[in-house]
Amino acid sequence: MIKSMTGYGKANLVKKEREYQIEIKSVNHRYLDISVKMPRVLTYLEEEVKKEIATKIKRGKIDVFVTFQNNSTEGKEIKINSEIAKIYIDELKKLAKQEEILANIEVTEISKLPDVLSIQNKQEDETIKNELLEVVKDATESLVQMRSIEGSKIAEDLITRVKAIQKKVKEISLLSTGLIEEYVVKLEGRIKEILKNQEVDESRLAQEVVIYADKCSVEEEVTRLNSHIAQFEKLLCSEEAVGKKLDFIIQEMNRETNTIGSKANNLEITNDVIDVKTELENIREQIQNIE
């Protein structure tokens, strides 16, 4: 079934004092656009996160929020910036000499100074990568499920509207056929009235009817509309991203309906055309939210 582009997914994971939380929000967008906000220690995994989401979602503006708390010693390493430490020591010695005080510099005190010592996660740590992608997968599946539920509701509404259009198209077809029959009767009556007692030229009458029928016949447009309706209903049951295809079909249906309207010289057909165009516009607005 079709999916909506609007949705929300969330997942959490706690393993060995490591806590992950992923929130994913999606809204309408012409293409797939994924934006990830995550702690600096995990930014090297940003592309991996995007790839995982892209396996399940094909269209929409996707905002991903990653929260990570690591209280475990696994995958961590201590980094000492020796260059910064040397600068601190040199400057402290200069200060001690200038002020004629004892330069009793302890290593523990130097380590407390800004940027000297830091605890970092090993970028090559596969454990964190695998755990993060696991929770991303869960959050994505949660999002897809919500988009599917919303998509099923949209599909129900679209099916109802398409059925209404199909009914109007059938009415237009019947009215159009009746118009030709009415025209034959009226034309024959007018010719007889003009010619009085003279015989009617049946071949000329037939020629006029053919010309009129060609001008006002909507048989081709009705056939194409019914074909588009069948394609539309089939796509509504697809598991693929069909939003763009549905939009194209609606454009084609609108074009055929406009042609019928331009040919119509009957008030009932004109009213049916207006009803069809109204439903098509409602459908067009709905499918802007379909993946």
Side-chain angles (χ1 to χ4, degrees):
M1 188 61 72
I2 60 170
K3 299 181 183 68
S4 167
M5 280 193 283
T6 303
Y8 173 81
K10 182 179 180 180
N12 298 282
L13 179 67
V14 178
K15 278 192 176 181
K16 296 182 180 179
E17 298 185 78
R18 290 185 296 276
E19 297 181 18
Y20 306 82
Q21 179 175 287
I22 308 291
E23 291 182 85
I24 308 179
K25 299 177 182 179
S26 70
V27 294
N28 299 0
H29 199 273
R30 196 172 179 183
Y31 307 104
L32 178 61
D33 180 14
I34 304 175
S35 175
V36 182
K37 293 184 179 180
M38 61 200 312
R40 185 180 297 179
V41 294
L42 296 179
T43 51
Y44 69 99
L45 293 172
E46 183 175 337
E47 288 304 314
E48 296 287 346
V49 171
K50 289 182 177 180
K51 287 179 182 178
E52 178 62 40
I53 294 172
T55 61
K56 297 290 179 64
I57 296 174
K58 305 304 177 185
R59 196 167 167 230
K61 175 69 175 71
I62 314 297
D63 289 310
V64 185
F65 303 92
V66 181
T67 303
F68 176 59
Q69 183 68 42
N70 190 359
N71 297 318
S72 170
T73 57
E74 185 178 342
K76 289 184 176 180
E77 59 183 0
I78 295 176
K79 291 284 187 179
I80 299 176
N81 193 326
S82 301
E83 295 300 319
I84 292 292
K86 288 177 181 179
I87 293 173
Y88 277 126
I89 293 169
D90 290 342
E91 292 300 317
L92 289 171
K93 285 183 176 180
K94 288 179 184 178
L95 178 63
K97 187 175 182 180
Q98 289 173 2
E99 300 298 328
E100 297 182 350
I101 57 177
L102 183 64
N104 186 18
I105 303 172
E106 298 287 341
V107 173
T108 53
E109 295 301 319
I110 297 296
S111 67
K112 296 176 183 178
L113 295 172
D115 300 321
V116 173
L117 186 148
S118 62
I119 301 175
Q120 300 179 357
N121 292 303
K122 294 179 181 178
Q123 291 194 357
E124 65 275 10
D125 185 48
E126 285 294 314
T127 301
I128 289 177
K129 173 186 172 180
N130 293 335
E131 290 173 353
L132 177 65
L133 293 182
E134 178 185 342
V135 73
V136 168
K137 182 178 180 180
D138 291 343
T140 304
E141 289 177 352
S142 174
L143 172 65
V144 169
Q145 184 178 11
M146 185 174 181
R147 284 161 60 116
S148 297
I149 293 171
E150 184 65 25
S152 66
K153 293 178 182 177
I154 295 174
E156 289 175 8
D157 179 70
L158 292 180
I159 289 171
T160 301
R161 295 186 185 279
V162 167
K163 292 297 183 186
I165 290 174
Q166 201 168 29
K167 183 179 178 181
K168 291 294 179 182
V169 170
K170 187 176 181 180
E171 289 178 9
I172 289 171
S173 180
L174 292 173
L175 287 168
S176 175
T177 303
L179 280 179
I180 297 173
E181 294 172 355
E182 288 176 15
Y183 178 75
V184 172
V185 174
K186 289 179 181 179
L187 181 61
E188 190 172 18
R190 286 177 61 190
I191 291 174
K192 284 181 178 179
E193 185 180 341
I194 294 170
L195 296 177
K196 301 294 183 182
N197 298 323
Q198 299 179 41
E199 291 185 8
V200 176
D201 186 345
E202 294 295 336
S203 63
R204 180 62 187 275
L205 177 62
Q207 186 180 4
E208 289 294 328
V209 171
V210 169
I211 293 171
Y212 177 80
D214 185 59
K215 287 182 178 180
C216 71
S217 174
V218 294
E219 185 178 345
E220 289 184 13
E221 288 78 9
V222 167
T223 299
R224 284 194 288 267
L225 270 173
N226 285 325
S227 175
H228 293 325
I229 288 170
Q231 286 180 291
F232 192 93
E233 290 178 326
K234 184 178 180 180
L235 286 173
L236 288 179
C237 299
S238 175
E239 292 294 329
E240 300 177 2
V242 295
K244 291 182 180 179
K245 291 181 180 179
L246 291 173
D247 190 43
F248 174 75
I249 291 175
I250 289 300
Q251 290 179 41
E252 293 301 304
M253 291 175 69
N254 201 51
R255 185 177 292 109
E256 300 297 343
T257 304
N258 285 334
T259 303
I260 292 173
S262 66
K263 288 184 175 183
N265 57 354
N266 175 277
L267 181 59
E268 289 182 85
I269 292 179
T270 300
N271 288 335
D272 281 341
V273 166
I274 292 171
D275 290 341
V276 171
K277 286 177 68 66
T278 300
E279 288 293 1
L280 286 173
E281 179 58 26
N282 290 332
I283 290 173
R284 192 192 67 79
E285 290 178 1
Q286 284 278 51
I287 62 178
Q288 301 307 309
N289 192 40
I290 294 175
E291 183 181 38

